[in-house]
Amino acid sequence: MGELTRAYIYRLAILFFCFIGAALNFASMFAMLCITELRKGRHVFIFNLALADCVSAIAMFIANIVDFPEVPFKKENLSAWLECLFTFSLVISLLSTLAIALERLMIFRVDNYSRQTYTARHSIAICVIGWIVFALLFFLLQAFHEIASLTLLYCVSPSVILGCIILTALSYTLIYKQIVNISNNVRPEDAALVRRAKSSKYVIVTFALVVASTTACWVIMCSVLLVEYIANLHGAVDPDTVDSVWFGVIGDLGNVLVCINIILNPTIIWLRLPVFRRQLPACCNRLGCRNTDESQDSAALVSSESPTAVMQPSISFMSTVMPDMTSAPEEDQIA
């Protein structure tokens, strides 16, 4: 396969997956803003995850149009700025999945943790501050300090992403152990609590799939970025290795997998989480001839709307009722 043919296949795959990912995440954000059942305080980080994935997909889409072979228009330094935006939004995405995991872990592990003291406004403030701080960090370095910017993009960012994946996996491991301990103390005759325990374990299976898929989609790209950084700035790796065809193919594969992960995040959320799945028919069919709210007993579903995201990752949702196994706390609406 010729170099030009491989470039065309790679660019077309990226454009396709980025378009689908941007559309799905934009639709998720729109649904969370418009549907009352989804406009809850516990979904703030899910919304932030969808926003970050949408921005990264759009940035990658535009960058690949600009860099597409034989494109008649080129703008100097545009690709560098788009790469900065893409990486910056991906870091926000992984931090969002970690924030969801840590929030669920605090519900299980921290005494007196309550939505009365930690509200939706706090979550929104954290997200807004994160976007502002990271945007200033990435774009100021891109504008004024090239070496520091390359270090941030090719070394710090992939390290942060890998760290987020590891911490998220550890968080859900601790949550799973807590659920097992609680489930072992549930009496078989207590049918409602047994259903809640099973529902929470179902969510944990979702998280396991998300963590696995997120790791598979991210580890190649992060490894490639770290190798490129070491080769270009420190000389510890032979530069000919980075310029080889096989290394370029691995890099292209890593980018494609990251774009696929952007699609997996909203897919897992809408198909696996009960609160989103209940609203899916209403989102697809706006005729109003079907009452989706009566399809399931809310007491049996647990409040298992915690995403993932992928790992994505899609690495996110967890039950908020398992600690006392009796009732779910009231959640504030975002708007």
Side-chain angles (χ1 to χ4, degrees), residues 119-334:
T119 64
R121 291 184 178 87
H122 293 133
S123 298
I124 294 173
I126 291 174
C127 293
V128 172
I129 293 173
W131 279 95
I132 294 174
V133 170
F134 280 96
L136 291 175
L137 176 63
F138 274 78
F139 292 114
L140 287 178
L141 288 181
Q142 175 66 27
F144 299 108
H145 202 299
E146 181 180 0
I147 299 300
S149 178
L150 290 175
T151 301
L152 180 62
L153 293 176
Y154 287 84
C155 181
V156 177
S157 295
S159 299
V160 169
I161 289 172
L162 292 175
C164 287
I165 293 175
I166 294 172
L167 290 177
T168 302
L170 290 176
S171 297
Y172 284 123
T173 300
L174 294 175
I175 294 172
Y176 176 76
K177 290 182 179 180
Q178 186 73 12
I179 290 177
V180 170
N181 292 334
I182 296 173
S183 301
N184 291 337
N185 296 323
V186 175
R187 293 174 297 179
E189 60 272 16
D190 210 336
L193 298 185
V194 170
R195 286 197 301 270
R196 290 176 178 175
K198 290 182 178 180
S199 179
S200 294
K201 289 182 179 179
Y202 169 84
V203 174
I204 286 297
V205 172
T206 301
F207 297 151
L209 295 174
V210 167
V211 171
S213 63
T214 301
T215 302
C217 291
W218 282 88
V219 69
I220 294 179
M221 188 197 77
C222 291
S223 300
V224 167
L225 292 177
L226 289 172
V227 170
E228 288 181 346
Y229 174 77
I230 294 173
N232 293 329
L233 294 184
H234 296 284
V237 177
D238 187 356
D240 292 337
T241 300
V242 177
D243 295 332
S244 63
V245 175
W246 67 267
F247 189 84
V249 172
I250 293 176
D252 292 347
L253 176 62
N255 287 331
V256 171
L257 288 175
V258 168
C259 294
I260 292 176
N261 184 246
I262 294 174
I263 298 176
L264 290 178
N265 285 341
T267 302
I268 291 173
I269 289 173
W270 282 92
L271 296 183
R272 292 283 299 183
L273 298 177
V275 67
F276 283 85
R277 193 171 62 243
R278 289 201 307 273
Q279 300 303 323
L280 187 58
C283 295
C284 298
N285 182 4
R286 305 299 295 179
L287 297 179
C289 57
R290 183 176 179 181
N291 187 355
T292 59
D293 293 332
E294 296 176 358
S295 59
Q296 299 187 43
D297 180 8
S298 60
L301 285 171
V302 210
S303 178
S304 56
E305 317 77 302
S306 317
T308 61
V310 225
M311 11 280 79
Q312 76 89 7
S314 336
I315 320 168
S316 313
F317 309 67
M318 187 61 251
S319 170
T320 60
V321 302
M322 286 296 294
D324 56 18
M325 297 295 292
T326 56
S327 61
E330 292 295 327
E331 304 284 6
D332 297 327
Q333 290 191 0
I334 296 176

